[in-house]
């Protein structure tokens, strides 16, 4: 599945199938919170949170792609990601875009 942040596929004629999305709500781990608090004092990257958000983005992307595949899409264009705080200890990652089918052959 081709995934692009641009709103077209260079050199291809396309048919829009509709909006697709995938999301995940990820909660923080108490152990990571304690380590992050310590790291916050001395500065530096909070690697545990970085890894958690990277994993959540991957899950959201996979769910978006699965929705596009159910529609018979060849690609998803205009892909964007958003993050929202759901609670003090959880965040939502949302991936969304437009599912398309190539109309001029693959």
């Amino acid at each position: 599945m081709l995934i692009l942040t641009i709103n077209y596929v260079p050199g291809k004629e396309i048919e829009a199938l509709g909006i697709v999305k995938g999301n995940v709500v990820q909660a923080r781990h108490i152990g990571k919170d304690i380590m992050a608090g310590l790291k916050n004092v001395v500065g530096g990257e909070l690697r545990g949170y970085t890894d958690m958000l990277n994993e959540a983005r991957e899950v959201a992307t996979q769910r978006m792609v699965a929705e596009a595949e159910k529609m018979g899409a060849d690609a998803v264009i205009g892909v964007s990601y958003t993050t929202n705080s759901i609670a003090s200890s959880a965040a939502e990652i949302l991936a969304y875009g437009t599912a398309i089918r190539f109309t001029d052959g693959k």
Side-chain angles (χ1 to χ4, degrees):
M1 173 79 51
L2 184 61
I3 301 171
L4 299 170
T5 58
I6 57 178
N7 292 318
Y8 62 95
V9 179
K12 295 287 188 180
E13 295 291 323
I14 62 172
E15 170 191 0
L17 302 176
I19 296 172
V20 289
K21 75 213 166 334
N23 71 321
V24 63
V25 175
Q26 190 79 29
R28 297 185 301 205
H29 182 278
I30 189 69
K32 289 182 183 179
D33 274 352
I34 292 168
M35 293 306 293
L38 294 173
K39 189 69 150 183
N40 220 7
V41 172
V42 297
E45 179 182 4
L46 303 176
R47 175 71 68 187
Y49 289 146
T50 299
D51 294 343
M52 179 187 75
L53 289 173
N54 281 334
E55 179 183 324
R57 265 191 301 276
E58 183 61 33
V59 170
T61 301
Q62 289 171 0
R63 290 176 180 175
M64 178 188 66
V65 167
E67 194 172 299
E69 287 173 342
K70 286 181 187 176
M71 297 170 80
D74 296 312
V76 181
I77 59 172
V79 173
S80 292
Y81 294 90
T82 63
T83 303
N84 297 298
S85 178
I86 299 298
S88 63
S89 61
E92 177 193 37
I93 303 289
L94 172 67
Y96 61 95
T98 302
I100 61 159
R101 183 177 303 132
F102 299 132
T103 60
D104 61 343
K106 298 182 186 192

